[in-house]
Amino acid sequence: MTRTHCPYCALQCGTRLEVSPQGLTVSPDEDFPVNAGRLCMKGWTAPRVLSAPDRLTSPLMRQRPGAQQRPVPWETALDRVGAELRRIVSAHGPDAVAVFGGGGLTNEKAYTLGKFARVALGTSQIDYNGRFCMSSAAAAGSAAFGLDRGLPFPVTDLASAEVVLLAGANVAETMPPLMQHLAGADLIVVDPRRSATAEGAALHLSPAPGTDLALALGLLHVAVVDGHVDHGYVAQRTTGFDEAWRRAAEWWPERTERVTGVPVADQYAAVRMLAAAKRRYVLTGRGAEQHSKGTDTVSSYINLALALGMPGREGSGYGCLTGQGNGQGGREHGQKADQLPGYRRITDPAAREHVAGVWGVDPADLPGAGPSGYELLDSLGRPGGPRALLVFGSNPVVSAPAAGEITARLASLDLLVVADFVPSETARMADVVLPVTQWAEEDGTMTNLEGRVLRRRRAIDPPPGVRTDLWVLRELAGRLGQPAHRFPDDPGEVFAELRRASQGGAADYSGIEPRNLDDQAEPVHWPFPAGGSSTPRLFLERFAHEDGRARFRAVAHRDAAELPDGAYPLHATTGRVLAQYQSGAQTRRVPESVEADGEAFVEVHPDTARRSGLTAGGLARVVSRRGATVARVRTVASLRTDTVFLPFHFPDAGRANLITNPALDPVSRMPEFKVCSVRLEPLGSGAATGSGAL
Amino acid sequence: MSRIVIVGNGPAGHRLAELLRTRAPRAAVTVLGAEAEPAYNRVLLPSVISGKLSPEQTYLTGHDSGTVTVRRGAAVTGIDREQRTVRTADGLLHPYDELVLATGARCFLPPLPGLTGAGGGPADGVVALRTLADCRRLEDLLTRAGSVVVLGGGVLGLEVARALSDRGHGVDVVHMGPHVMERQLDAPAGKTLAGVLERLGIRIHTGRAAASWTGGRLVLDDGSGLPADLVVVSAGVQPNTELARAAGLSVGRGVVVDDHMRTSDPRIHALGDCAEHAGLVPGLIAPAWEQAETLAEALTGGHRPYTATRTVTRLKARGVDLAVIGDGNHALPGAEVVTLADPARGQYARLALQDERVVGAILLGFPSSVAAVSQLYDAGAPTPVDRLALLAGRAVAGRADAPGDLPDEAVVCRCNNVTKRALVAGWRGGARTPGALARATRASTGCGGCAGAVDGICTWLNATREAADEAGDALCADAVPAGEAHAASPAGAGEAFVPAAAPRQEEQPLHELLAR
């Protein structure tokens, strides 16, 4: 029996793996407190991906553009990649090669990928799909508290909460085992849809898509007018309340109601529920964050929590529900465009000095900050943009906004290299595909949504022909002239180096000994400095800003980047279903998931469907200015009549991201996945305006 | 560098200056405000009166920096259109390339004996509420006032009356019209509203005008009187148009402007409560801010005509939920009108539709439907077919099934996609407790939300077997049909988790089992 963790979301549920003649079986770990014996369908069926019928077990290569991908020996594939990278770098400079990582990679992989980009390639062009995940919450959390850790408290603390406000988080579907910790709380759910989570809530606030920021400002307004501000806390532990209030003062309840569609009475009810509880939390998810104003929206929820005196007190607080399995660790160790390991800024001379010292290179040789995820993808193959891209643990053909255009960008590259374990939609476009190990076949560490560092353990051997990502990076680094010792492929060795690199940084792992991660050990939450101890709860004494105080941010509401008009009269919002995970590359290969939800669909209010000439069960084209996607119509009476919903897990013509708007948040550079304007057409009518037509 | 002078530091002038600060970084913007106070948000004054906000908490974001200069206590006394300057009371001249009049409006004070003091302003003991200074004066007067009368039962008068009654003052409202808010409400709505207010301690006297105020007593036009230590006048406002008139600009009720907020002089613009657009002076903050957007565009070379904003009037009064959306009294031929009335409970709704679109609505006592109706109105979007559900404000939930009636295909455990059929199969396979069913099917091992339902189905299956045993059946094959053709749940059932059907009387409804 091997104790490890589920390969999917940021809960990182504990699992026990047994190898039997029938294959690997998984059962939930009763002793791991985050899931305490619970597991959702995705976790139960995760072994299916290990033996997916189309599992990649040999490198694939395309001899020339347009040719078929064919199996080749590893040497051939790696030599080709090495040679082409050398050619492109020498002809066009290091920034002509870009790297795109993922929030599902282990800490060791994320760390090594960042180091590979900066040292072996010398490129500044690296970012990852976490940019599409919690970057807005990270920016807002850092601004408010001086430190970004998804949950600054153990997830089990939620179990004693009386009231929890979930802003744009459908945890009943995206993180089912978390629900046991929320079972005792009255939930206030903010979601345009009556989601599974909203269904069970004590209060459901349903703002029009793109108006969450106005709602949060309105809630702060009510908190002030209704006399719920914790003045002592605000005076002693925060700064900036007055400026934040001046913005919220513009959002009196009736105006908030008109803009958001949330009744005045419900605004009061929500604030009173939070104010009356002793133990209460505000948690945000992608619904609040994936907007061109996501950072400000999260800041306004943090402002509300600060006004009520919640953060930094045991039994209450603010947190972000990180999405991807290693979304937390993935953003700490250097695959983000502007960061070095330990959550250090790449523009900080001291940080460069420290990390360059660990890497044995000259700090002056480290590149500076590069473009953010979407900007990087959008620049591929353009004049002055990268001509080669290495993708690890991501599937941007499905997950990037305006996916039609991004697909065209990928197609315009001189060289696309994808390391993956299944032929994802992005891998299918690649010139070279490198088959790598997955969860149960590898060792490493992950950091879950509560900043808890966990050990991923190898239970079985990978199929012959499959290598680890670390091995691939070492081999490529060697072909780029790097000494072998600089890129170890042993995860234990990499973790030891990562600890040194993170020492003194915000996300300090330097004190974490491998034995701390043993089964019986106490939980390990960073920061865990050398000679120090785990930090399960942050901010109890002081916040991480120099003055120890949390900062209110004065934020103003603004409209979504695109508003409905005559040609595109409806809001479209995108999200997730329980049975599928992210771009679906893994779960679409699991029969149980396919049976539950196996094809693209669009939820539409029955009246809206009728007016658009759609019938339940029929196909619709959902058309935006970026393109069109095809989806099966589901009529949902609880939906707003002005809004349709599409999950984004599905491929090809059913990609929801064919229609999404790449308007970016000015701070976090998060694209606006959660709202764009569309029209509906029964399939077969109207002219195709995008790449989604069947 | 273009010089833009804004006369008036109220919400309209303030918003324009704020927009220009970011959109016209090369313009020099000067705001001349007559009041010594920083710009504040007039909408919040009822909250100041009711004591929920301090006067300072109504201040708007300061922007007296960089390209924007704010001069407070600088009353403008004249405009020289030839020289393109404005003169302030201190004698200074302010040259402009573009001039904006945001002079607002002032309260109308009825010329009645006793109400006006020396100099034409309100007498001691009389307040006409418009400014923060008026609020402070009211606060001061309230400390020695026993009885308060509000003159005028329009929106602002009723808001003030409610703010005062919220603080424990008995309040009389004297209103000339046939019912309160007659500009916005039809008679049934007005009467129902009066009833709601009476229950909150506000006495309404309609069809009556004040005649005089003397010796703590307000005499009405029928000779009757009301004790009134304090009189709050809310009898409408007058746009401040004197500057414009003196400068020779075209003035009707307000300063006349076109769709780009331009007056009859192309270098002079007006917006907010002083401006008349298409014959109307809206007098609300939403149109004023909308006009500020239009003017900011016009002054920075853009083109975004102002189209009279759709109005939604909301009475900001604690315990009263009233919204008037568009033309509440709308009665054009061909309009579909839906009404609901329960005057005893203070509820009245009137919804007027044309081509399925809301053209007007009065919603009193329907707190959860205002949001949806006003958003449909603002968007010009068609309303849902079920008008009553729209007015009720909440989608009516389908009724839940008892375990026996649940179709086999119904998904009981969403986390693991376990249907009732799978649970029955598990039970037939020997899993006779909820724990055993969980192990056999994975149901309830995810979020745990269906644990009650799994429990209920298990109990039902066990009870059915006992009943079958008592009846002498070997196995409950009849009672627990497996694989029988049930109608598949309709599309969209993923959301409607429990398909609707009438529950059997004797069985516990599943929604109770599902309840946490």
Side-chain angles (χ1 to χ4, degrees), chain A residues 250-545:
Chain A
E250 295 173 7
W251 291 93
W252 58 94
E254 293 78 10
R255 180 176 183 224
T256 305
E257 174 184 80
R258 189 166 174 195
V259 170
T260 65
V262 173
V264 170
D266 288 354
Q267 297 171 38
Y268 276 97
V271 172
R272 285 174 185 171
M273 280 173 68
L274 273 177
K278 272 206 167 60
R279 302 178 72 89
R280 62 257 164 94
Y281 293 87
V282 170
L283 305 176
T284 61
R286 303 303 83 74
E289 299 159 15
Q290 287 178 328
H291 292 272
S292 60
K293 53 178 179 289
T295 305
D296 286 355
T297 302
V298 175
S299 288
S300 66
Y301 275 109
I302 293 176
N303 287 350
L304 173 67
L306 288 172
L308 296 175
M310 293 163 56
R313 279 185 168 158
E314 195 168 343
S316 93
Y318 161 78
C320 151
L321 294 168
T322 296
Q324 296 191 77
N326 198 29
Q328 182 70 50
R331 69 193 193 243
E332 297 164 2
H333 298 301
Q335 59 175 334
K336 209 171 173 182
D338 56 353
Q339 289 185 358
L340 289 172
Y343 225 135
R344 290 179 154 92
R345 299 177 59 81
I346 201 166
T347 47
D348 170 10
R352 296 169 67 88
E353 175 98 29
H354 173 82
V355 174
V358 174
W359 288 350
V361 299
D362 184 341
D365 291 344
L366 294 179
S372 75
Y374 175 76
E375 291 161 299
L376 185 148
L377 294 173
D378 188 49
S379 70
L380 298 174
R382 292 194 198 274
R387 310 169 76 100
L389 176 72
L390 311 179
V391 178
F392 282 77
S394 190
N395 188 13
V397 167
V398 174
S399 63
E405 178 56 33
I406 294 306
T407 304
R409 294 291 96 229
L410 292 168
S412 73
L413 288 165
D414 294 355
L415 176 69
L416 174 62
V417 180
V418 176
D420 209 329
F421 38 83
V422 289
S424 71
E425 286 67 27
T426 307
R428 286 205 194 113
M429 292 185 66
D431 299 294
V432 181
V433 180
L434 304 172
V436 290
T437 51
Q438 48 175 312
W439 62 291
E441 301 159 355
E442 61 188 20
D443 287 305
T445 64
M446 304 280 279
T447 305
N448 79 349
L449 79 169
E450 45 176 4
R452 178 170 174 154
V453 185
L454 305 163
R455 181 170 278 168
R456 170 180 280 192
R457 288 188 182 81
R458 176 175 169 143
I460 55 169
D461 293 334
V466 168
R467 302 285 184 271
T468 67
D469 306 66
L470 294 179
W471 182 87
V472 169
L473 289 170
R474 190 189 67 179
E475 291 297 313
L476 288 178
R479 283 164 175 78
L480 294 167
Q482 292 291 316
H485 68 84
R486 190 173 278 164
F487 285 90
D489 72 341
D490 173 59
E493 245 179 276
V494 176
F495 187 68
E497 184 184 312
L498 179 160
R499 287 168 51 202
R500 291 202 310 282
S502 75
Q503 185 159 17
D508 191 334
Y509 283 41
S510 60
I512 305 174
E513 301 285 343
R515 64 181 155 73
N516 297 132
L517 302 176
D518 289 347
D519 289 348
Q520 283 78 31
E522 289 292 303
V524 169
H525 298 263
W526 70 258
F528 195 134
S533 59
S534 165
T535 314
R537 292 176 191 84
L538 290 163
F539 314 137
L540 294 183
E541 304 297 323
R542 61 195 310 280
F543 294 100
H545 285 299

Side-chain angles (χ1 to χ4, degrees), chain B residues 286-307:
Chain B
W289 282 352
E290 196 60 25
Q291 290 174 351
E293 283 282 346
T294 293
L295 187 46
E297 280 284 302
L299 292 173
T300 54
H303 182 87
R304 176 185 144 150
Y306 170 73
T307 49

Side-chain angles (χ1 to χ4, degrees), chain B residues 178-243:
Chain B
H179 56 263
V180 291
M181 285 178 64
E182 81 277 1
R183 277 178 59 196
Q184 291 89 5
L185 301 181
D186 61 6
K191 291 197 168 63
T192 309
L193 175 60
V196 172
L197 293 169
E198 299 262 359
R199 286 194 281 280
L200 293 168
I202 298 163
R203 294 170 295 275
I204 308 282
H205 312 269
T206 51
R208 287 275 78 85
S212 65
W213 181 60
T214 170
R217 194 175 156 76
L218 189 75
V219 180
L220 305 185
D221 57 358
D222 62 352
S224 65
L226 293 168
D229 297 331
L230 171 60
V231 177
V232 180
V233 178
S234 178
V237 295
Q238 289 173 301
N240 292 324
T241 56
E242 289 78 2
L243 278 177

Side-chain angles (χ1 to χ4, degrees), chain B residues 448-506:
Chain B
C450 66
V454 172
D455 206 37
I457 287 170
C458 188
T459 306
W460 165 70
L461 288 168
N462 288 334
T464 314
R465 184 181 63 166
E466 279 166 25
D469 284 351
E470 276 173 29
D473 290 353
L475 198 65
C476 49
D478 299 335
V480 189
E484 185 186 311
H486 282 277
S489 50
E495 194 70 17
F497 171 39
V498 180
R504 283 184 201 157
Q505 282 294 310
E506 68 273 17

Side-chain angles (χ1 to χ4, degrees), chain B residues 161-449:
Chain B
R162 178 60 189 129
L164 293 174
S165 85
D166 208 8
R167 289 177 61 171
H169 291 271
V171 182
D172 289 274
V173 174
V174 174
H175 184 62
M176 218 186 310
H179 56 263
V180 291
M181 285 178 64
E182 81 277 1
R183 277 178 59 196
Q184 291 89 5
L185 301 181
D186 61 6
K191 291 197 168 63
T192 309
L193 175 60
V196 172
L197 293 169
E198 299 262 359
R199 286 194 281 280
L200 293 168
I202 298 163
R203 294 170 295 275
I204 308 282
H205 312 269
T206 51
R208 287 275 78 85
S212 65
W213 181 60
T214 170
R217 194 175 156 76
L218 189 75
V219 180
L220 305 185
D221 57 358
D222 62 352
S224 65
L226 293 168
D229 297 331
L230 171 60
V231 177
V232 180
V233 178
S234 178
V237 295
Q238 289 173 301
N240 292 324
T241 56
E242 289 78 2
L243 278 177
R245 209 181 286 277
L249 300 175
S250 167
V251 174
R253 248 199 90 214
V255 185
V256 175
V257 293
D258 66 8
D259 288 352
H260 298 278
M261 316 320 295
R262 195 164 47 186
T263 68
S264 52
D265 178 336
R267 293 216 176 238
I268 306 183
H269 319 264
L271 82 167
D273 288 358
C274 71
E276 176 183 322
H277 173 265
L280 294 173
V281 182
L284 294 169
I285 196 159
W289 282 352
E290 196 60 25
Q291 290 174 351
E293 283 282 346
T294 293
L295 187 46
E297 280 284 302
L299 292 173
T300 54
H303 182 87
R304 176 185 144 150
Y306 170 73
T307 49
T309 314
R310 293 166 181 257
T311 58
V312 174
T313 307
R314 219 47 180 90
L315 191 72
K316 287 175 281 298
R318 201 171 71 85
V320 186
D321 274 293
L322 172 65
V324 181
I325 293 160
D327 178 5
N329 289 313
H330 187 94
L332 275 186
E336 169 193 346
V337 176
V338 185
T339 52
L340 273 178
D342 183 358
R345 268 150 219 90
Q347 288 189 296
Y348 177 82
R350 183 179 192 278
L351 185 63
L353 305 165
Q354 246 169 354
D355 299 331
E356 294 205 86
R357 267 106 179 143
V358 178
V359 287
I362 299 169
L363 295 168
L364 173 59
F366 289 85
S368 20
S369 62
V370 175
V373 177
S374 57
Q375 290 209 326
L376 288 168
Y377 170 73
D378 281 337
T383 53
V385 176
D386 189 342
R387 320 285 200 228
L388 293 184
L390 175 64
L391 288 177
R394 305 242 186 255
V396 180
R399 299 175 72 186
D401 267 0
D405 291 334
L406 204 59
D408 283 359
E409 301 308 323
V411 175
V412 177
C413 170
R414 211 189 319 222
C415 297
N416 282 292
N417 199 31
V418 183
T419 58
K420 176 187 163 192
R421 184 198 306 281
L423 284 166
V424 170
W427 183 86
R428 288 169 163 260
R432 298 295 159 90
T433 65
L437 275 174
R439 280 188 294 279
T441 66
R442 297 174 187 167
S444 80
T445 63
C447 74

